Every structure is written in structure tokens, then in C-alpha cells.
Amino acid sequence: MSNSFTVLSVSALGGFAGASGCLCTYGDPCWPDAATFAQLESQVSQPLIYPIPTASACYPASNPSGNCSEVIQNWTDGNWRSSIPGSMDAPNFESFVFKNGTISACYLNTSLGVPCEQGSVPVIGVDARTPADIQAAVNFAIQYNLKLVVKNTGHDFLGRSAARGAFVVWTHNMKNITYDATFAPQGAPSNETYEAVVTLGAGVQWYEAYYAVNQYGRMMVGGITPGGSIGAAGGWLQGGGHSVLSPTYGLGVDNAIEITVVTPTGEYLTVNDYQYSDLFWALRGGGGGTYGVVTSVTYRTYESLPVASYFFQANVTNTTTVNGLAARMLQLQTNLTDDGWGGYGYLSNISMSFVAIAPNMSTEAANTSIQPWTEYVQSQDISSVAEILPIPSWYEWYSGLFNTSGGNGLNLMITTRLLSRNTTANQSKEIAELLIDCGGQFIMIAGGKVSQIDPASAGVNPAWRNAVVEAGCGVSWDEGASSTTIEGMISQLKAWTSSLHDIVPNDGAYFNEASLFEVDWQTTFFGSHYSQLKAIKDKYDPHRLFVVAEGVGSEEWNKELTCRS
């Protein structure tokens, strides 16, 4: 698809889901014409955007329309991808599979001989720079009953940032960062203030946020990915927001003080514990793309501290030994995370590795904390490497390991499960076997402080408060794979999802790192909070404008999330 926009006739349908009970998408008779979109463009600060798939510049293959070398060079760079309105972190969410098995996509490998097509990339939208831009976009979507999606960086394992034929609000360029030595939430008593907070615009990414607060000698709870490309004030927070610092300082939702949001009725609200407290509660863990468009978040920050860093690597030839290693590590998760360790571990049938940090922990204390694991490893006949290093600051640790972008641009789907204290104590062997089978990982991002916070304090799944670790599996495939091949991979993912659910049916899962094929997703992602979240959703979104895969209220829609079921 070129940057020109095809003009179609329009029948302006307002109101909830149109006369047919369906949202309007590109190609429908109700889709606004060029003159109508021009009126919208006159109301916003930037020209409208016409997103195209990431690889579009490489087509036509005989005479590329853009800089294909740039695309090839940056394909795996998350920060580069996030700067493109039509690019998703996982390209499979740019594609669209029809019911007959044909695929609409745009592949980097032009030698496949497949034409570049729009797939699930939205066709037009607003490059939002201000809350007023978002208000204009939301009001336009309401007036013309458009299928609306919200995109920031495109880091999304459920494909919520894209939809075929949709209208998009792109928040990536809302980059304001404000540091306040003293901050008073709107509506709060005069004696309630917070010291050293930072307010991040919706488009700020973690590498930008970490750098900014480090200039003030501060650190903050946030996401980690190579290059720090994940958005810091969007879906990460609205799904819950975990971090390697969470065992010491809590989840992202526990560190948010105030949020500004454009609601599905076009209102611009500042929400916190004192005003619109129900919406503030829901936005902290009730799922992104559901209650409105967040424009900024104000977070706590913490004094920058040194960290103890622990690295472990073992390569073995015996699957039974790996099983034992993995099971023992899972059993120790409660003690380790309660001591403040956070980190990432990876498993295969011949290896195990992980890296972890603990803020403000001396080398001596780190050795003592890790001693039960050290003793177990020494009792096994394996070759391993283990090292504890003091690092002067958390930021130095982060920037040393994650300053290079990479690992993005893969066709990928995942499934995860939060593991409770009871599970890691009593079912570590079954979980370990499954993780080794899937070549999975375990992430140390709960326990400790996360477990000490009242489950009712935020809308995030209460299962987080009893969790100590997240376990996950994933599948990936080469571009150009047939729908039959992809379905085979998805069948494997479904089997792992089902197995994880069967082993720990009550432990829940993290909405931001999730399977599209989860068993009983309402309970798995939102637990006992679901009914309350649904009531808040209905209150603030009377038009049912915001709907995303497995998000609150999505059970009322068809598979494509375009028509009420």
C-alpha cells in the first residue's frame, strides 16, 4: 500500500458499534472519505499518518520504494522499530491470516516472491503530541464508529497495537519528562506530598526514563529489554509492570502516583487516589487499550544504589541433571526474591543460565543469600561458572548489559504463568520438566515487596501478591511460513499453555506476557478483580470504543473484535 489514501464513500454512523453492532473498518461503506479525514487533520497538531508495514521500503523488489538497506540493518532493533508507526515488535502481528489460510503480510525477504500487503497494520491515524490531539482522535472515532487501536512502541505479545483496517492513535512522540523534587497529587490533602518523582509522557521509553532520573542520582522500577525500547508510561504499567527491581520496590502499579488519561468519551482527566480513584485503580493493572489513552504517568523514584550482580552458567549432557538444577532453583525462588534478588533465567535440555541483581547488597551478604544454591551446585557433577560482582550503581549494571538493541523482529508468540510460593515449594519438578521441554525461561520479578502490598490496592491480578517468579515458553517461525506451519506452532503453544494451567490452575498469568489461547483468561489475567474492572470499563467506555484481545469486556465481541457477538 502506498502513502496515498484510497477515498471511499461515507455514511457517517455515530453511536455504539453502529447500526449493525459492528465497528467501521477500512473498506466498509461507513469509512470516512478524504474530506472528512482532512477535517480531523485540521484539528490536530501533526499531519495524519498512513502506517505501512516495516518492510515496505524494500518493495517492489525490482525498484525499492525506500531505503531497504536501512530496513535490513535495523530489523532487530527495537528502538528503530518503535519509531515507525506501522511497525510491531513481532512482525507476525503485522500480518493477517484469512479464514481460507492465505496470509496478508509484508516480508523482509523479497525473494519469497510475495507482494507487500497491509496485513493487520492500521491504515490511518493521528500522530499524537498533546492530550488535545488524542481527544480529537477519540472524538472522531466515536463520531464515525471506527475500529480504534492505540500504539506506542508495538511491544505487544497479544497484538493489541494493531488491527486490520483500523484507525490508530500513535503516542510514541509524547516524550515529555519532568522531574519534581516535591510533588502533590491533584486533590490530595495539603500535607500529602512525594519527594523525587518523575512524570513521563506516554511515548517515553525506558532507556530515556532511566537516563533522565540517573541525572538526579535516582533509579526507578521499570522494564528491561535490549536497548530499553519498551514504553514506560503505556501498556507496561496498565498490565502491571514488572521489573528486576520489583522484589525490592514493588510492581510498576505500586509506584504510580498519578495518571493523566483521555477517556473513551473524550474527556481529559487527572486520576489518582483522590479523584477518579476507580479509574486510577483500573489503569494500574486492568489492561492497556481498555479504559482510555494514557498521556502521562507520575512515578516514585529511589536513591541510586550499588547492586550485587550474580551470574551463573552450567552446560551439561544429562537432562536429568538439568531437571534437578531447574527444580532446585525454582524451590529457592521464595528465599531469593524475598532477599531482593531479581533477574532472568534460561533453560534448555543441556544448559541453564541466569543473571540476577540485588540492590544495596554487599558481596558478603550476596554470598550468604546464594549459599543454598551454591551448595546444591557443588553437590552435582557438573561444569559451571558462577560469579558475584559488586556494581557501583543499578544504572551502570543496566547500561552495561542492555545498551545494545537487538533480539526484536522475530515472529513470536509466548505463554507464561506466575508461580506461587506453594507451587515453587511443591511442584518445582513438574514446572522444570515443562520449561526444559519448551526451552523456556524463569523471571525473578515478584516475591519480596510485591508480596507485602495489599492485593486490593490496585487493579492488577491479585495472583501477583502470592507469586515469586514467572515462567514462560514461546514459539517462533521463519517469515513466509505457511498458515499450516504457523498453526502447527500455535498448537504446540496451546499445549504448553494448557499444561501450565493444569499444573497451577490458580496461580494466574501476566497480561502483558501472555498467550492468545489462555484457558479462562478472565480469571487467569485478572483474578477476582475481573467483575470490578468490568464495571469500571462499562462506566468510562459507554460507547464500547476500546476493545483488545483478551482485555476486559472483549468476551462481548467476535474473534476479530469488530462486531458485538
Side-chain angles (χ1 to χ4, degrees):
M1 180 177 181
S2 69
N3 283 343
S4 61
F5 194 78
T6 304
V7 177
L8 294 175
S9 62
V10 59
S11 172
L13 297 177
F16 161 58
S20 65
C22 295
L23 297 167
C24 186
T25 58
Y26 178 69
D28 292 339
C30 55
W31 189 256
D33 62 13
T36 306
F37 277 113
Q39 292 174 6
L40 171 63
E41 189 167 67
S42 71
Q43 300 169 23
V44 295
S45 65
Q46 305 295 315
L48 296 183
I49 53 172
Y50 300 87
I52 53 178
T54 313
S56 296
C58 297
Y59 290 81
S62 58
N63 185 25
S65 61
N67 188 345
C68 186
S69 296
E70 179 189 1
V71 176
I72 294 170
Q73 179 180 347
N74 293 292
W75 187 258
T76 63
D77 186 326
N79 284 308
W80 177 81
R81 297 184 76 91
S82 68
S83 70
I84 302 170
S87 182
M88 309 301 154
D89 191 62
N92 46 296
F93 291 114
E94 295 180 28
S95 66
F96 184 84
V97 181
F98 293 94
K99 291 180 180 178
N100 65 3
T102 60
I103 300 174
S104 175
C106 186
Y107 300 125
L108 177 63
N109 183 3
T110 59
S111 67
L112 292 171
V114 178
C116 177
E117 295 182 344
Q118 190 76 4
S120 290
V121 176
V123 295
I124 191 170
V126 169
D127 176 3
R129 307 295 177 97
T130 67
D133 287 342
I134 298 175
Q135 287 178 287
V138 168
N139 288 331
F140 186 83
I142 294 170
Q143 182 178 359
Y144 295 100
N145 192 44
L146 303 184
K147 172 62 180 174
L148 174 69
V149 296
V150 182
K151 180 181 183 289
N152 181 8
T153 65
H155 278 275
D156 190 351
F157 294 113
L158 293 175
R160 297 165 294 179
S161 301
R164 184 168 176 79
F167 173 68
V168 62
V169 175
W170 190 41
T171 63
H172 174 72
N173 290 309
M174 300 182 74
K175 295 287 192 179
N176 289 341
I177 299 176
T178 304
Y179 181 85
D180 288 300
T182 304
F183 179 82
Q186 281 192 20
S190 59
N191 63 347
E192 180 166 334
T193 58
Y194 294 82
E195 295 183 356
V197 307
V198 65
T199 300
L200 307 177
V204 174
Q205 293 164 272
W206 280 118
Y207 78 95
E208 296 165 321
Y210 294 148
Y211 176 82
V213 300
N214 186 62
Q215 304 308 299
Y216 294 92
R218 310 294 290 182
M219 62 183 186
M220 62 186 299
V221 172
I224 285 186
T225 193
S229 57
I230 293 173
W236 177 84
L237 173 74
Q238 292 171 71
H242 70 58
S243 167
V244 292
L245 295 177
S246 289
T248 302
Y249 300 109
L251 297 170
V253 297
D254 304 323
N255 286 278
I257 298 167
E258 189 166 271
I259 299 172
T260 59
V261 58
V262 174
T263 71
T265 56
E267 296 175 273
Y268 177 53
L269 303 179
T270 299
V271 305
N272 53 44
D273 280 330
Y274 301 97
Q275 52 190 36
Y276 309 103
S277 58
D278 56 346
L279 182 56
F280 182 57
W281 183 86
L283 286 170
R284 289 178 297 135
T290 301
Y291 310 94
V293 184
V294 167
T295 61
S296 73
V297 180
T298 301
Y299 289 107
R300 293 177 175 87
T301 69
Y302 298 92
E303 178 188 358
S304 181
L305 296 172
V307 298
S309 175
Y310 179 66
F311 172 78
F312 175 85
Q313 170 74 45
N315 296 308
V316 298
T317 57
N318 188 320
T319 301
T320 302
T321 302
V322 176
N323 245 330
L325 282 172
R328 183 59 178 152
M329 173 49 63
L330 291 173
Q331 289 169 2
L332 292 172
Q333 284 299 301
T334 296
N335 292 338
L336 291 173
T337 56
D338 283 353
D339 283 349
W341 290 100
Y344 301 85
Y346 304 90
L347 293 164
S348 75
N349 60 354
I350 59 169
S351 68
M352 174 182 177
S353 64
F354 66 92
V355 59
I357 62 163
N360 208 28
M361 183 181 287
S362 68
T363 300
E364 181 183 9
N367 274 307
T368 300
S369 177
I370 213 80
Q371 186 63 28
W373 170 249
T374 302
E375 291 175 355
Y376 177 82
V377 172
Q378 290 174 345
S379 72
Q380 306 300 301
D381 185 21
I382 60 172
S383 173
S384 66
V385 175
E387 186 175 29
I388 293 176
L389 290 174
I391 309 292
S393 72
W394 178 87
Y395 186 74
E396 186 171 325
W397 175 85
Y398 162 79
S399 57
L401 286 180
F402 297 97
N403 63 342
T404 302
S405 278
N408 306 93
L410 298 173
N411 295 308
L412 179 66
M413 286 187 174
I414 66 171
T415 186
T416 66
R417 204 77 184 175
L418 299 174
L419 305 181
S420 68
R421 292 166 183 265
N422 180 67
T423 294
T424 56
N426 299 309
Q427 294 174 280
S428 59
K429 184 175 183 295
E430 296 95 316
I431 295 292
E433 288 175 352
L434 192 151
L435 292 179
I436 290 168
D437 178 56
C438 74
Q441 65 177 13
F442 59 91
I443 312 177
M444 303 162 67
I445 35 74
K449 182 68 172 180
V450 177
S451 300
Q452 298 166 18
I453 295 172
D454 182 359
S457 64
V460 72
N461 190 344
W464 272 103
R465 305 307 178 185
N466 196 37
V468 293
V469 67
E470 180 188 33
C473 302
V475 295
S476 62
W477 57 90
D478 295 334
E479 66 172 5
S482 68
S483 58
T484 301
T485 298
I486 295 171
E487 277 302 317
M489 302 303 294
I490 289 174
S491 292
Q492 176 63 80
L493 185 70
K494 288 179 177 177
W496 286 329
T497 301
S498 179
S499 295
L500 279 169
H501 179 272
D502 290 346
I503 296 171
V504 286
N506 301 315
D507 281 7
Y510 179 36
F511 185 52
N512 282 348
E513 294 169 348
S515 167
L516 280 167
F517 317 103
E518 187 55 68
V519 180
D520 186 18
W521 61 263
Q522 291 96 329
T523 301
T524 296
F525 295 144
F526 305 105
S528 58
H529 287 164
Y530 188 81
S531 60
Q532 188 174 351
L533 290 168
K534 180 63 165 59
I536 296 169
K537 161 73 171 172
D538 292 345
K539 173 183 174 181
Y540 286 95
D541 189 7
H543 303 290
R544 307 299 198 272
L545 181 66
F546 287 79
V547 56
V548 296
E550 296 184 347
V552 172
S554 65
E555 68 274 13
E556 299 173 349
W557 295 78
N558 63 358
K559 181 180 178 182
E560 293 75 25
L561 303 178
T562 53
C563 296
R564 295 269 283 183
S565 58

